[in-house]
């Protein structure tokens, strides 16, 4: 059985492979609905509690900032920043 420490080392090794930090240009066409959902998933994933995901737990601050930037860029390109903020406010008020 693989331990959490072993899994963390495997993920760290994979993420350290030469070329993994090189930018990749992607032409992505998705619906606005999926932009909202993707942005929500990225932001929710970045809030994952420590220990609940070995891979996400291994992301450093720079990686978190890059993912957040991708989320914001997608929202901006889709013209959904204001809508996303309003929906986040509604969601936050429901959670308490």
């Amino acid at each position: 059985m693989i331990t959490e420490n072993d899994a963390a080392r495997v993920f760290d090794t994979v993420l350290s492979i030469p070329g993994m930090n090189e930018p990749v240009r992607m032409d992505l066409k998705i619906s606005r609905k999926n932009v909202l959902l993707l942005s929500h998933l990225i932001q929710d994933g970045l809030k994952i509690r420590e220990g609940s995901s070995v891979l996400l737990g291994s992301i450093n601050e720079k990686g978190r900032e890059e993912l957040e930037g991708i989320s914001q860029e997608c929202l901006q390109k889709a013209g959904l920043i204001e809508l996303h903020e309003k929906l986040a406010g509604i969601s936050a008020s429901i959670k308490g």
Side-chain angles (χ1 to χ4, degrees), residues 51-67:
S52 62
S53 171
V54 177
L55 178 58
L56 292 177
S58 69
I59 298 173
N60 61 22
E61 189 60 35
K62 182 181 178 189
R64 289 177 177 277
E65 290 172 5
E66 286 180 23
L67 288 171

Side-chain angles (χ1 to χ4, degrees), residues 17-92:
I17 293 172
M20 290 297 279
N21 284 327
E22 292 177 11
V24 177
R25 181 155 179 85
M26 299 176 68
D27 182 18
L28 181 65
K29 293 183 182 191
I30 61 175
S31 68
R32 284 188 169 89
K33 175 179 88 171
N34 284 335
V35 169
L36 278 173
L37 293 172
L38 177 62
S39 179
H40 179 77
L41 287 171
I42 290 171
Q43 292 179 357
D44 208 37
L46 292 175
K47 295 176 188 170
I48 280 213
R49 289 171 186 79
E50 199 171 307
S52 62
S53 171
V54 177
L55 178 58
L56 292 177
S58 69
I59 298 173
N60 61 22
E61 189 60 35
K62 182 181 178 189
R64 289 177 177 277
E65 290 172 5
E66 286 180 23
L67 288 171
E68 181 124 343
I70 291 168
S71 173
Q72 291 300 313
E73 184 179 349
C74 288
L75 289 170
Q76 189 271 329
K77 285 184 176 183
L80 296 172
I81 290 178
E82 187 175 340
L83 176 60
H84 176 73
E85 289 171 355
K86 288 181 180 183
L87 291 175
I90 292 169
S91 182

